Amino acid sequence: MTNELTPIQRKVRSFVMRTGRMTEGQKLALENGWPALGLDLSHGPYDLPQVFGRRAPVIFEIGFGNGDSLLSMAQQAPEKDFIGVEVHTPGVGRLLHHVQEDGVSNLRVCKEDAVEFLTHCIADHSLDTVQLFFPDPWHKKRHHKRRIVQPEFAALLRKKLKPGGTFHMATDWQNYAEHMLGVMEAAEGWENTQGSGCYLPGRPEQRPETKYERRGIRLGHGVWDLEFRTI
């Protein structure tokens, strides 16, 4: 039975495409690793058990940056499969270098717009967890429409997650944390795992500290983790 993936209209992107300068090692890792480890939007819907060669819980991370925390999570949870999406090509190359160097088999990468990839390539009710750690906060009020956590995004994730699947967010901007909380608590089909109006009491053990988190702490920012479950 074919699972039809209905596209959604995206008027404003939540990110700025940054190509950046790649090292020779990153270029080589991208060239050598992509055929086996890369996922492409042009492929269309993926059969995830076929991609990983097994049936296991699938964790989908949006915006993995340099990839260190995602790599660590994949290494610490070999019983789970991970997909990371990042538009910054040097970060993709860096992660692929370490994945190949360390022989990590439960991680795949994609260098596409996460919303488009979710819409066109991920079947409904196939993900166990979606992670969004320290996304661009677009802190100026006139740019809030660019924030990825919006009502239509919450609706999309609800379709892609299995019943009881979780959406884990983290930010070091209080205004964005409040925005996330408001959007998700108003969205249909979600419940806050900590209770209405509440954040996680601290960084969960399964989320490694990221460089963005350390930077935020150095700048005197707080850190807010939120977790919502589909119902």
Side-chain angles (χ1 to χ4, degrees), residues 210-229:
T210 71
K211 73 171 186 177
Y212 299 102
E213 185 173 6
R214 291 191 291 271
R215 182 190 65 183
I217 291 172
R218 287 198 304 271
L219 293 172
H221 298 180
V223 176
W224 292 263
D225 279 79
L226 306 84
E227 185 181 66
F228 281 76
R229 180 187 297 118

Side-chain angles (χ1 to χ4, degrees), residues 174 177-179 181 192 194-195 197-202 224-226:
Q174 183 175 359
E178 292 168 351
H179 170 90
L181 188 65
N192 188 332
Q194 304 303 302
C198 295
Y199 302 96
L200 288 166
W224 292 263
D225 279 79
L226 306 84

Side-chain angles (χ1 to χ4, degrees), residues 14-187:
S14 62
F15 61 89
V16 174
M17 185 67 79
R18 297 174 298 131
T19 303
R21 181 175 297 176
M22 299 182 69
T23 66
E24 290 304 314
Q26 290 168 352
K27 290 178 183 177
L28 188 61
L30 189 60
E31 180 181 340
N32 292 340
W34 193 260
L37 302 171
L39 303 178
D40 291 294
L41 182 64
S42 60
H43 179 279
Y46 279 96
D47 180 332
L48 297 184
Q50 186 177 55
V51 167
F52 290 99
R54 64 176 182 174
R55 291 190 178 276
V58 179
I59 317 302
F60 188 95
E61 179 160 329
I62 299 170
F64 57 74
N66 66 13
D68 287 351
S69 64
L70 180 58
L71 179 67
S72 176
M73 283 186 281
Q75 291 173 319
Q76 293 175 23
E79 75 283 2
K80 299 178 181 179
D81 292 326
F82 293 79
I83 298 173
V85 179
E86 174 58 58
V87 296
H88 187 47
T89 308
V92 175
R94 186 177 190 278
L95 177 58
L96 283 176
H97 170 75
H98 289 293
V99 167
Q100 294 170 85
E101 185 177 65
D102 297 345
V104 177
S105 62
N106 61 332
L107 197 160
R108 300 292 184 272
V109 299
C110 173
K111 46 184 175 66
E112 307 280 359
D113 173 16
V115 171
E116 291 181 4
F117 188 77
L118 280 165
T119 301
H120 297 288
C121 299
I122 300 296
D124 292 354
H125 312 304
S126 61
L127 303 176
D128 292 84
T129 299
V130 174
Q131 300 177 162
L132 178 69
F133 300 150
F134 304 95
D136 192 326
W138 294 105
H139 55 276
K140 294 181 180 179
K141 189 171 182 179
R142 68 177 183 272
H143 291 156
H144 285 186
K145 62 185 177 181
R146 293 184 177 272
R147 290 175 168 178
I148 190 170
V149 180
Q150 303 290 353
E152 61 273 18
F153 181 68
L156 175 64
L157 293 192
R158 186 187 175 207
K159 287 177 58 181
K160 301 304 171 181
L161 284 162
K162 297 175 182 176
T166 57
F167 178 31
H168 181 187
M169 297 156 277
T171 181
D172 61 335
W173 287 84
Q174 183 175 359
N175 178 266
Y176 199 8
E178 292 168 351
H179 170 90
M180 291 173 167
L181 188 65
V183 168
M184 294 306 300
E185 294 206 327

